[in-house]
Amino acid sequence: MENQELSKEPIYDVVLRDVNKVYPNGFHAVYDFNINIEKGEFIVLAGPSGCGKSTTLRMIAGLEEISSGDLIINGKRVNDVAPKDRDIAMVFQNYALYAHMTVYQNLAFSLTIRKTDPVIIHKQVMYAATVLGLIPYLNRKPKQLSGGQRQRVAVGRAIVRDPVVFLLDEPLSNLDAKLRGQMRKELTELHDRLQSTFVYVTHDQIEALTLASRIVVMKDGYVQQIATPKEMFEYPENIFVAGFIGTPPCNFYNGKIDEKATKFIHVSGAEIALTADQSKILKDYAGKEVIMASRPDYVFTDDATLKANAKQTFKLEVDYYEFLGSYKLVYGEFGGEKIIAKINGREEIKENVIDACFQAEKMLFYDKETEIRIR
Ligand code: ATP
């Protein structure tokens, strides 16, 4: 404690404390946003259109006023500090490059208008261009570049500023699927190399899972969960997050827990045994309705897994399946409710009704009313 007080180094690069945004028309877009972002984290704000993620990013950038709460960057409260003095640099979705300037001039621009020493400008531009592989294009104009190269210039313009925090608003959304995949890899490498803090907005849950050190999922202005990608995938806090993160989406089943809290009884009457841990967690739900969730990744049809999960086995009625190389997606029904299973591509599906099982310890249970995970 004492050491922390003595230390001049802030522990967190960015802190949002009870941050709210109410637009002038009265619309409450962000409610009580709280997060401590450590140096070097890659935070991804994710959620469907209109959930408040861009508003949050724009408040950090200083492009939107904060209605209440505190924003602390690098140990300093910056609610009332102008964007240019905030130690941040923002990369926009539409790149915002100057068409009449070369790549070099675009990269140098923000430092030029700040009247930075030309020697430093050149050093910073060459550094950004090297990191991003833009050296061969320095004399080109933006229209002579591919989409991916333009995106790299946009990122380079942030790098030259050497900010504490990089803010990125859907920077890959204008690129085609293949290029997006490549740029995801490049952004991860760039983040590793710069070791800076990134806050990144996307509605694409694959980007969230692949890029983030922690994901923040938002809905209707409220933070739903803040967690590492693995934690969020394995233990989604509520039904909304379970449905938002992961493709294909999570399977959900209506039913109840039996009086002894030893099994889940599906609405169809099918019985699925609980593990000892689940029994303990669901003790208070004995006799009550719950929602069971199981990811397609944890539904199996192979003999070995069926044997290991004999008490979680059920009849899967197959509607159709897609062969996708290393895996197959099986679409069907479990007791009248939809199911998707992601099974090994080598497995054959010979019948319309096949034996399948839920991997016991991966089953999750949610309160029927609050839709929050029971733990
Ligand atoms: P998208 O992915 O579509 O950009 P988002 O999650 O980034 O969505 P925001 O742009 O943060 O969403 O908007 C959050 C909510 O605030 C939306 O309902 C939007 O209509 C509303 N909103 C945004 N700007 C304003 C404004 N200037 N005045 C009033 N409401 C606004």
Side-chain angles (χ1 to χ4, degrees):
M1 185 67 202
E2 208 169 276
N3 280 346
Q4 275 184 18
E5 276 172 7
L6 288 176
S7 166
K8 287 269 189 301
E9 280 290 304
I11 306 165
Y12 300 111
D13 263 0
V14 183
V15 176
L16 275 79
R17 205 181 287 144
D18 297 327
V19 167
N20 280 267
K21 176 67 187 180
V22 183
Y23 279 108
N25 68 356
F27 185 77
H28 202 146
V30 176
Y31 293 85
D32 297 330
F33 197 120
N34 281 291
I35 192 170
N36 293 331
I37 302 176
E38 286 183 34
K39 183 165 180 51
E41 276 202 272
F42 198 134
I43 297 290
V44 175
L45 306 181
S49 182
C51 69
K53 52 197 188 299
S54 296
T55 301
T56 304
L57 194 79
R58 291 170 62 80
M59 285 194 284
I60 300 173
L63 302 173
E64 283 299 344
E65 212 176 294
I66 295 170
S67 308
S68 69
D70 301 311
L71 170 66
I72 295 149
I73 297 180
N74 211 11
K76 199 170 111 194
R77 188 178 187 274
V78 293
N79 289 45
D80 305 316
V81 173
K84 67 177 183 27
D85 301 321
R86 273 190 192 195
D87 257 348
I88 53 105
M90 186 139 170
V91 181
F92 294 94
Q93 181 175 355
N94 58 8
Y95 317 147
L97 301 181
Y98 297 106
H100 63 286
M101 291 186 191
T102 63
V103 168
Y104 187 103
Q105 289 164 334
N106 264 287
L107 291 173
F109 184 74
S110 68
L111 299 180
T112 311
I113 54 165
R114 281 180 173 72
K115 302 206 166 39
T116 306
D117 178 344
V119 177
I120 292 175
I121 295 181
H122 184 67
K123 192 171 140 246
Q124 289 291 84
V125 169
M126 295 312 281
Y127 172 69
T130 306
V131 167
L132 294 164
L134 288 171
I135 297 286
Y137 312 106
L138 285 173
N139 292 321
R140 292 203 195 169
K141 300 268 177 68
K143 69 169 188 295
Q144 301 167 305
L145 300 175
S146 70
Q149 289 160 347
R150 273 180 224 163
Q151 185 52 57
R152 268 184 250 151
V153 179
V155 174
R157 294 207 312 184
I159 293 179
V160 297
R161 305 262 317 273
D162 193 20
V164 170
V165 191
F166 286 81
L167 304 175
L168 302 104
D169 193 356
E170 305 238 15
L172 308 187
S173 59
N174 289 341
L175 307 177
D176 65 43
K178 188 160 170 245
L179 197 50
R180 268 210 304 273
Q182 186 191 325
M183 288 302 290
R184 279 205 300 269
K185 182 166 156 279
E186 286 187 18
L187 276 174
T188 306
E189 286 167 2
L190 178 71
H191 176 254
D192 288 348
R193 196 178 301 188
L194 297 175
Q195 305 262 310
S196 303
T197 306
F198 281 34
V199 183
Y200 185 105
V201 161
T202 184
H203 63 271
D204 178 345
Q205 53 91 29
I206 295 185
E207 273 178 33
L209 285 171
T210 51
L211 291 171
S213 54
R214 281 192 297 160
I215 305 171
V216 181
V217 171
M218 297 181 73
K219 179 184 174 235
D220 300 335
Y222 288 93
V223 171
Q224 303 292 306
Q225 184 172 9
I226 303 181
T228 64
K230 186 167 173 4
E231 211 179 322
M232 204 167 269
F233 185 80
E234 298 287 347
Y235 302 106
E237 182 62 25
N238 57 38
I239 294 279
F240 175 78
V241 176
F244 182 73
I245 294 284
T247 34
C250 205
N251 299 302
F252 298 110
Y253 301 102
N254 287 289
K256 64 176 189 181
I257 302 299
D258 72 316
E259 296 295 342
K260 290 191 200 138
T262 56
K263 53 197 174 194
F264 168 73
I265 305 171
H266 183 238
V267 282
S268 65
E271 296 185 355
I272 303 290
L274 305 179
T275 65
D277 280 350
Q278 289 161 353
S279 270
K280 222 183 285 171
I281 293 167
L282 290 161
K283 210 167 62 198
D284 294 343
Y285 283 82
K288 290 190 187 152
E289 287 187 53
V290 295
I291 297 166
M292 193 271 266
S294 173
R295 290 210 176 275
D297 313 65
Y298 300 133
V299 179
F300 292 88
T301 55
D302 65 284
D303 290 340
T305 318
L306 283 172
K307 210 166 152 196
N309 296 274
K311 291 181 174 170
Q312 289 77 28
T313 298
F314 61 92
K315 295 288 176 198
L316 193 166
E317 292 169 47
V318 180
D319 289 336
Y320 64 99
Y321 66 86
E322 293 170 341
F323 174 71
L324 292 151
S326 61
Y327 64 92
K328 276 195 183 92
L329 290 180
V330 184
Y331 297 83
E333 285 187 13
F334 156 52
E337 290 196 285
K338 294 272 174 232
I339 187 163
I340 305 174
K342 187 176 177 182
I343 64 168
N344 194 311
R346 285 193 294 272
E347 256 178 81
E348 299 285 350
I349 296 175
K350 297 190 186 117
E351 316 277 341
N352 291 338
V353 180
I354 57 174
D355 283 332
C357 68
F358 299 113
Q359 191 180 336
E361 66 280 8
K362 297 291 188 184
M363 298 187 300
L364 299 170
F365 295 88
Y366 292 84
D367 185 289
K368 177 117 180 144
E369 247 144 58
T370 62
E371 300 197 342
I372 292 174
R373 187 164 68 86
I374 305 166
R375 42 161 130 199

